[in-house]
Amino acid sequence: MGGKARALAVDAALGGLVAAAMALPMLGVRLEDGATGLSLGGRFDWVLWAAGIVAGGRLLIGALRLTLAGRGPSLPAPPRALITYVGWAMVAFALILPFLPFAGRNMVDKATLVLIYVMLGWGLNIVVGLAGLLDLGFVAFYAVGAYSYALLSQTFGLSFWLCLPLAGMLAAGFGLVLGFPVLRLRGDYIAIVTMGLGEIIRVVLQNWQDVTGGPNGISGIERPSFFGLSFKMVPPEGSRGFAEFFGLDYSADHRVIFLYFLILALALLTNLFTLRIRRLPVGRAWEALREDEIACRSLGINPTTVKLSAFATGAMFAGFAGSFFATRQGFISPESFTFHESAVILAIVVLGGMGSQIGIVLAALLLVGLPEWFRELQQFRMLAFGGAMVLIMLWKPSGLLSTREPAIRLKDAP
Amino acid sequence: MEYFLQQLINGLTLGAIYGLVALGYTMVYGVLGMINFAHGTIYMVGAFISLITFLAATTVLGTSVPLALVLTLFAAMGLTALWGWSVERVAYRPLRAAPRLAPLISAIGVSIVLQNFVAQAQGARAKPLPPVFRGGVTLMDSGDFVVSLSWMQMVIMALTLGLMAAFTWVITRTALGRAQRACEQDMKMASLLGIDVDRVISTTFVIGAGLAGVAGMMVTLYYGVIDFYIGFLAGIKAFTAAVLGGIGSLPGAMLGGLLIGLIEAFWSAYFSIEYKDVATFSILVAVLVFRPTGLLGQPDVEKI
Amino acid sequence: MSEALLDVEHVTMRFGGLFAVNDLSFSARPQEITAVIGPNGAGKTTLFNCITGFYKPQVGRITLNHPSGPLLLERLDDYTITRKAGVARTFQNIRLFARMSVLENLIVAQHTRLMAASAFSLAGLLGLSRYAQAEAQAVERARHWLDKVGLTAFADEEAGSLPYGHQRRLEIARAMCTGPVLLCLDEPAAGLNPRESAELNRLLLDIRAENGIGLLLIEHDMSVVMEISDHIVVLDYGRKIAEGAPTAIKADPAVIRAYLGEPDEEEAG
């Protein structure tokens, strides 16, 4: 044990030294913008802190390893029934959330944001989790959905309910077009190419002034109505407002709550679709393709159509989410569709445990919801976000909930 | 003609920088078969280390500019290499046996952490550095357009050539290079033959990050302005360069870098600056679709 | 005997300067087991990949006399060869859908039929009974093959978690679920112990007897080849050096020289 302790101390000391060397320029010196240019400021105590934290951390991890050595994995996989119950409980909670006493307008708004990411996660899960195609440009389809709605509604005056399916179809069409180049690629290459395609779309949105408004984006996008009933304080000429129709006092909360239920419905639709498609030939082919493309080909499955259908389906749901985003914000610009968004959505899918629907909800709560509640620490949000991605991967490389349930069982079959 | 020549010089300079970064992508891909997503951010860290060291050497220590440059070169190479080593040690090594996507997600996480770390520690605003040395030689003067090769461009090209030579020597002539090539072929077999695979992988990251550090220094001195976000685009472009040259091929990475630099320079000069990134991405997509092995890569036959 | 099921004529496949398969011709008949044997690197797997469409031979013609008319396989894509021509295959290094269950593996194999029944899954999405019936049939067929290969008890297990011998049999069951007229098996006995190997022989004879289809197999294990084959083709360096019934092959001097005759060769038994 003495030898081990010494090795541990040496390791910690070395770690501290490396950290000190790394921190010396990056933390120990601060670049200060001045009127005459850059100048330097020192804060060498920070270097010591960094070295101390790393050394202490190494010591702690090493000690934990020594004491925990030999113990197996701690968490057993949760049983199938439990997951189902948790799922239903979550749906029930989501349904009553806006009416709970502690849920103010602010909280419903945040829940709406989380649900957007849940829906995007579920949509991307079709592409990544089921079909195994690593798509890092998913945000492009989200953008297509948002811009489609904004442009269709502003140019042709179409209503949200008409634009929603149109936006989904347009996004799916883009999915087909953008899916084509990646058909022949494998693994990581797909990731990079889809990332490139996503960036191309963003750059085009940014520069195609006449149509997209360039960096200024599109504002004044039509807000949704409750089957024709407006949520505005003063409803348009000749129509009735939501509050008036139902005999309620006007409140701005109505729209917030309506938007919440709208995205909840859209998200649940995505979930229902995924659960259903997994039992159907197309969904099975997606999963089979993820496992082994060559075997698929030997069974008469055309990988091209299977991949394209996965791409287009995922894109369609992103398109729905995009139009929802546009109608909720009333304003969109290329800023909202950067690569960073794609990375967040992919992180949600992978951290959740690819293919696990509830895992995705948990990951969305963790990665989107949690930081929203710590807005005061705004500047460290992204730091913590990236750190969480790394730590969760190190802790559970196959995601939070990674057990896969077969979509069909012989003992349940007729 | 003069304009063309000037773009050629600018493009080659830019391409040398991309090429150095691309080497890091290609080496890691060769050994581990993974795209080191955080490599672009490592290059950004290298740029900051260079800026800080250079300022510290000239303003605080008061050394002369040439000495400051030498100091900066060593600091950029050494300290960036240390950052690269740590990233591999902390975020990739524990995931070597993990599912394919895990290291990629971890790498994306690392690059988000590094970007925001730098933004917090050094401020998110762009950092300007006045030109270190002005002037150069005039190659051609047609009256209304002057073609010049600045001292800085000469330094960049000379340094790149020197590093390439040293690097080629290491890979082809030393035991380390042999071990690395062995790991590329078959990691399991290499480890059975007594090669310390972990060490080879660490060295790969160290060399890659060191080269990226030098590239970071070049970009700082050449353009004179950096921010915490430069790693993202440069990373994609350097990766495109690696793919264009044939991923896994070292001369390919350099060739790809030069081509991407040239394409970008000429595209900006003759078509449109706004869409120059679209040009790069389109090349990436086109190469992968029509010639996935790149210009100098080995075709790999699908084993069934 | 009826006409040939599979006609391979002058097939040549080159990789760079190396002839993996060189001007090879032979036939396989329905309701027969045809074995392709030869030393390592003789081009057997390449031949298989040409027949199943994974490679396109540079020269030659591969005809499959399907009940509905002859088809030229070298002109079809790999997946249409299974779909239209009814050629199914297994792989030398097993390729199951490891994280899917055993039953799911067998149902994926019936993709083409289920897609047609469900109008590309749309009917299923809407919950129409037409798809439910098709799925029930698919499960029934899967159950039949699970019984045949003795894996019924493992139906809901992950395919990747099965022992090696079980995985081999599952791969054969999966190929049979596509409803083939020709089943190509790439070293089905590799890695099996003698008991499993004997079971495999029975299974293959059974498939031939009950389904009336042709079997084409690559094999190293001479006990399997000699015991169950009706017809043997011997390859060496991509060329055919002998062809005939097992007894004739055993006595063929060219075969003995190239393959069986080496006293210290493993396969010499």
Side-chain angles (χ1 to χ4, degrees):
Chain A
M1 205 60 193
K4 274 184 184 162
R6 189 171 315 127
L8 205 62
V10 171
D11 175 76
L14 280 178
L17 240 111
V18 170
M22 284 164 63
L24 185 62
M26 297 307 285
L27 272 178
V29 182
R30 180 172 171 88
L31 289 164
E32 278 153 12
D33 312 293
T36 54
L38 288 175
S39 59
L40 295 179
R43 43 174 187 203
F44 296 103
D45 49 330
W46 286 36
V47 177
L48 291 180
W49 276 108
I53 289 170
V54 169
R58 295 284 321 162
L59 210 56
L60 196 70
I61 293 171
L64 279 178
R65 268 215 195 114
L66 281 184
T67 48
L68 294 181
R71 293 190 199 168
S74 47
L75 291 169
R80 178 159 67 128
L82 181 69
I83 291 191
T84 319
Y85 288 136
V86 170
W88 282 112
M90 279 173 145
V91 172
F93 177 75
L95 281 173
I96 55 167
L97 175 73
F99 309 112
L100 294 177
F102 59 84
R105 177 182 177 158
N106 194 12
M107 182 177 239
V108 175
D109 220 28
K110 280 173 180 165
T112 308
L113 185 72
V114 171
L115 278 174
I116 293 182
Y117 282 91
V118 170
M119 173 162 182
L120 286 169
W122 279 340
L124 182 60
N125 184 41
I126 293 171
V127 187
V128 180
L130 294 185
L133 303 165
L134 187 47
D135 184 354
L136 268 180
F138 197 60
V139 76
F141 308 125
Y142 186 42
V144 168
Y147 275 86
S148 311
Y149 169 59
L151 292 172
L152 284 173
S153 135
Q154 294 207 327
T155 322
F156 302 107
L158 300 180
S159 79
F160 174 76
W161 294 105
L162 200 59
C163 288
L164 187 69
L166 285 178
M169 281 195 289
L170 269 169
F174 263 80
L176 287 180
V177 173
L178 296 192
F180 213 74
V182 304
L183 282 174
R184 285 172 51 190
L185 306 176
R186 277 174 293 157
D188 296 5
Y189 280 96
I190 296 185
I192 296 289
V193 171
T194 49
M195 181 172 83
L197 291 171
E199 280 297 297
I200 289 181
I201 298 237
R202 194 183 58 80
V203 174
V204 170
L205 289 178
Q206 184 115 28
N207 291 300
W208 198 9
Q209 295 276 356
D210 305 341
V211 177
T212 65
N216 299 329
I218 302 175
S219 53
I221 300 168
E222 183 66 27
R223 314 305 296 266
S225 59
F226 185 81
F227 302 102
L229 299 174
S230 166
F231 286 101
K232 292 193 183 108
M233 174 103 84
V234 184
E237 214 41 44
S239 71
R240 292 208 281 171
F242 175 81
E244 187 194 342
F245 187 85
F246 288 99
L248 301 167
D249 290 332
Y250 173 78
S251 158
D253 292 357
H254 290 162
R255 171 153 61 204
V256 175
I257 293 175
F258 170 68
L259 283 170
Y260 171 82
F261 279 116
L262 180 56
I263 187 66
L264 182 63
L266 285 172
L268 287 177
L269 178 78
T270 317
N271 184 31
L272 202 70
F273 175 86
T274 308
L275 295 181
R276 183 102 207 130
I277 200 89
R278 276 192 63 209
R279 295 199 50 142
L280 292 172
V282 172
R284 287 209 187 90
W286 288 341
E287 289 202 75
L289 190 76
R290 173 193 71 204
E291 298 294 316
D292 195 324
E293 180 174 337
I294 288 173
C296 277
R297 276 150 59 184
S298 84
L299 297 176
I301 296 172
N302 179 353
T304 307
T305 51
V306 173
K307 281 184 195 174
L308 284 179
S309 63
F311 246 87
T313 313
M316 181 180 73
F317 286 110
F320 291 154
S323 359
F324 174 81
F325 176 77
T327 192
R328 171 177 180 249
Q329 304 291 108
F331 163 74
I332 49 171
S333 77
E335 285 273 290
S336 311
F337 307 105
T338 56
F339 165 71
H340 178 252
E341 292 297 307
S342 289
V344 170
I345 305 166
L346 181 70
I348 287 173
V349 174
V350 177
L351 296 183
M354 298 211 310
S356 161
Q357 299 294 93
I358 290 191
I360 286 170
V361 178
L362 292 180
L365 279 170
L366 208 66
L367 290 186
V368 182
L370 213 54
E372 280 299 313
W373 263 271
F374 292 101
R375 271 217 178 259
E376 309 80 64
L377 301 172
Q378 177 85 15
Q379 46 184 3
F380 298 110
R381 265 172 73 199
M382 290 314 295
L383 208 56
F385 175 80
M389 274 169 86
V390 178
L391 288 179
I392 297 179
M393 276 297 107
L394 295 182
W395 174 47
K396 287 205 152 217
S398 30
L400 295 171
L401 287 176
S402 54
T403 44
R404 180 187 175 279
E405 278 299 321
I408 186 170
R409 287 172 175 271
L410 192 63
K411 53 175 186 258
D412 304 339
Chain B
M1 178 64 203
E2 287 79 12
Y3 188 58
F4 176 86
L5 201 62
Q6 185 66 61
Q7 294 314 323
L8 189 69
I9 293 172
N10 296 350
L12 285 176
T13 317
L14 186 60
I17 297 175
Y18 287 151
L20 285 179
V21 183
L23 280 175
Y25 278 111
T26 243
M27 281 169 69
V28 168
Y29 192 91
V31 174
L32 282 180
M34 77 171 261
I35 297 170
N36 177 11
F37 205 89
H39 192 59
T41 12
I42 290 287
Y43 149 87
M44 178 272 294
V45 169
F48 271 86
I49 291 176
S50 314
L51 177 61
I52 290 169
T53 317
F54 184 75
L55 281 177
T58 49
T59 61
V60 182
L61 301 177
T63 56
S64 64
V65 168
L67 183 61
L69 279 181
V70 174
L71 275 177
T72 309
L73 178 65
F74 283 110
M77 231 165 153
L79 291 177
T80 314
L82 207 55
W83 277 89
W85 178 84
S86 308
V87 165
E88 192 272 329
R89 191 72 185 73
V90 172
Y92 301 158
R93 191 180 292 183
L95 293 176
R96 208 148 293 155
R100 197 171 49 84
L101 284 180
L104 190 80
I105 296 296
S106 182
I108 295 176
V110 165
S111 64
I112 294 178
V113 167
L114 286 182
Q115 267 182 21
N116 287 279
F117 166 73
V118 172
Q120 292 307 314
Q122 302 296 348
R125 287 216 301 196
K127 309 287 174 222
L129 178 74
V132 177
F133 29 55
R134 295 163 200 277
V137 285
T138 302
L139 294 181
M140 210 185 277
D141 192 346
S142 70
D144 45 31
F145 195 87
V146 181
V147 180
S148 64
L149 178 64
S150 72
W151 299 122
M152 200 63 233
Q153 288 175 325
M154 280 187 229
V155 170
I156 288 177
M157 287 182 195
L159 201 52
T160 307
L161 283 178
L163 281 173
M164 275 306 286
F167 179 73
T168 312
W169 180 80
V170 167
I171 294 297
T172 53
R173 293 292 147 87
T174 63
L176 171 70
R178 266 197 302 281
Q180 190 166 23
R181 280 177 290 148
C183 286
E184 268 182 45
Q185 296 279 322
D186 188 338
M187 200 179 290
K188 207 175 268 168
M189 194 64 205
S191 94
L192 286 176
L193 292 175
I195 293 174
D196 184 348
V197 173
D198 275 343
R199 227 192 66 201
V200 172
I201 293 172
S202 277
T203 325
T204 307
F205 275 85
V206 162
I207 296 178
L211 293 175
V214 178
M217 168 184 149
M218 290 173 175
V219 89
T220 309
L221 297 173
Y222 183 53
Y223 287 109
V225 58
I226 57 172
D227 61 49
F228 72 99
Y229 204 63
I230 58 168
F232 176 64
L233 264 186
I236 300 185
K237 286 178 187 166
F239 179 79
T240 307
V243 170
L244 179 61
I247 196 141
S249 152
L250 300 175
M254 215 54 226
L255 177 70
L258 290 178
L259 285 175
I260 293 290
L262 287 173
I263 290 165
E264 204 176 310
F266 282 110
W267 189 281
S268 311
Y270 290 102
F271 298 103
S272 79
I273 292 204
E274 289 90 35
Y275 286 102
K276 72 173 191 220
D277 298 338
V278 171
T280 320
F281 295 133
S282 310
I283 288 166
L284 174 65
V285 174
V287 172
L288 282 177
V289 171
F290 296 110
R291 198 182 156 83
T293 53
L295 297 173
L296 304 180
Q298 305 285 327
D300 71 326
V301 176
E302 191 173 32
K303 285 247 172 61
I304 293 164
Chain C
M1 276 291 172
S2 58
E3 66 166 324
L5 176 63
L6 179 78
D7 267 317
V8 174
E9 292 163 274
H10 306 291
V11 164
T12 298
M13 182 78 201
R14 258 190 329 265
F15 294 109
L18 178 84
F19 284 86
V21 176
N22 195 353
D23 194 23
L24 175 69
S25 304
F26 73 91
S27 309
R29 292 171 191 283
Q31 297 168 42
E32 272 193 9
I33 296 179
T34 307
V36 179
I37 64 170
N40 274 327
K44 304 182 299 281
T45 297
T46 306
L47 169 69
F48 250 45
N49 286 336
C50 289
I51 294 172
T52 51
F54 284 90
Y55 296 158
K56 295 286 164 228
Q58 278 105 357
V59 184
R61 194 163 73 165
I62 305 172
T63 319
L64 186 95
N65 292 306
H66 195 269
S68 60
L71 289 160
L72 292 178
L73 297 189
E74 80 278 2
R75 298 198 185 159
L76 297 179
D77 284 327
D78 41 30
Y79 63 93
T80 36
I81 286 182
T82 314
R83 202 182 271 187
K84 287 219 188 86
V87 177
R89 72 170 291 177
T90 64
F91 296 89
Q92 199 171 340
N93 33 4
I94 307 173
R95 286 181 176 275
L96 290 171
F97 305 122
R99 284 184 61 211
M100 299 174 83
S101 77
V102 168
L103 178 64
E104 283 177 304
N105 266 272
L106 298 184
I107 291 182
V108 168
Q110 305 177 53
H111 179 78
T112 312
R113 218 167 309 138
L114 286 172
M115 278 297 259
S118 67
F120 305 99
S121 295
L122 286 175
L125 211 54
L126 301 172
L128 300 186
S129 64
R130 188 157 72 121
Y131 174 69
Q133 281 166 20
E135 193 185 51
Q137 275 170 17
V139 172
E140 218 28 70
R141 184 189 285 251
R143 209 194 294 266
H144 169 78
W145 283 105
L146 283 172
D147 282 342
K148 273 261 178 269
V149 299
L151 290 175
T152 311
F154 300 93
D156 298 329
E157 305 278 319
E158 250 183 26
S161 68
L162 295 184
Y164 190 81
H166 290 15
Q167 294 198 13
R168 281 250 175 251
R169 292 209 302 281
L170 175 57
E171 211 190 12
I172 295 173
R174 186 179 69 179
M176 286 309 296
C177 276
T178 64
V181 296
L182 175 68
L183 176 65
C184 301
L185 302 161
D186 197 344
E187 299 204 19
L192 300 188
N193 63 34
R195 192 178 52 80
E196 289 173 324
S197 192
E199 274 174 26
L200 177 78
N201 285 357
R202 271 199 299 281
L203 175 65
L204 296 185
L205 290 171
D206 218 26
I207 288 175
R208 181 187 65 170
E210 280 183 26
N211 300 77
I213 65 169
L215 277 81
L216 186 66
L217 77 139
I218 292 177
E219 194 44 75
H220 263 309
D221 187 331
M222 282 303 132
S223 67
V224 175
V225 171
M226 292 302 165
E227 200 173 306
I228 65 172
S229 306
D230 302 298
H231 189 76
I232 296 179
V233 177
V234 190
L235 298 189
D236 195 18
Y237 295 109
R239 287 182 172 279
K240 182 171 79 178
I241 56 170
E243 182 175 6
T247 42
I249 293 295
K250 264 185 197 163
D252 192 305
V255 177
I256 294 168
R257 211 177 314 117
Y259 186 54
L260 294 169
E262 304 285 342
D264 41 26
E265 274 265 348
E266 276 194 311
E267 289 93 347

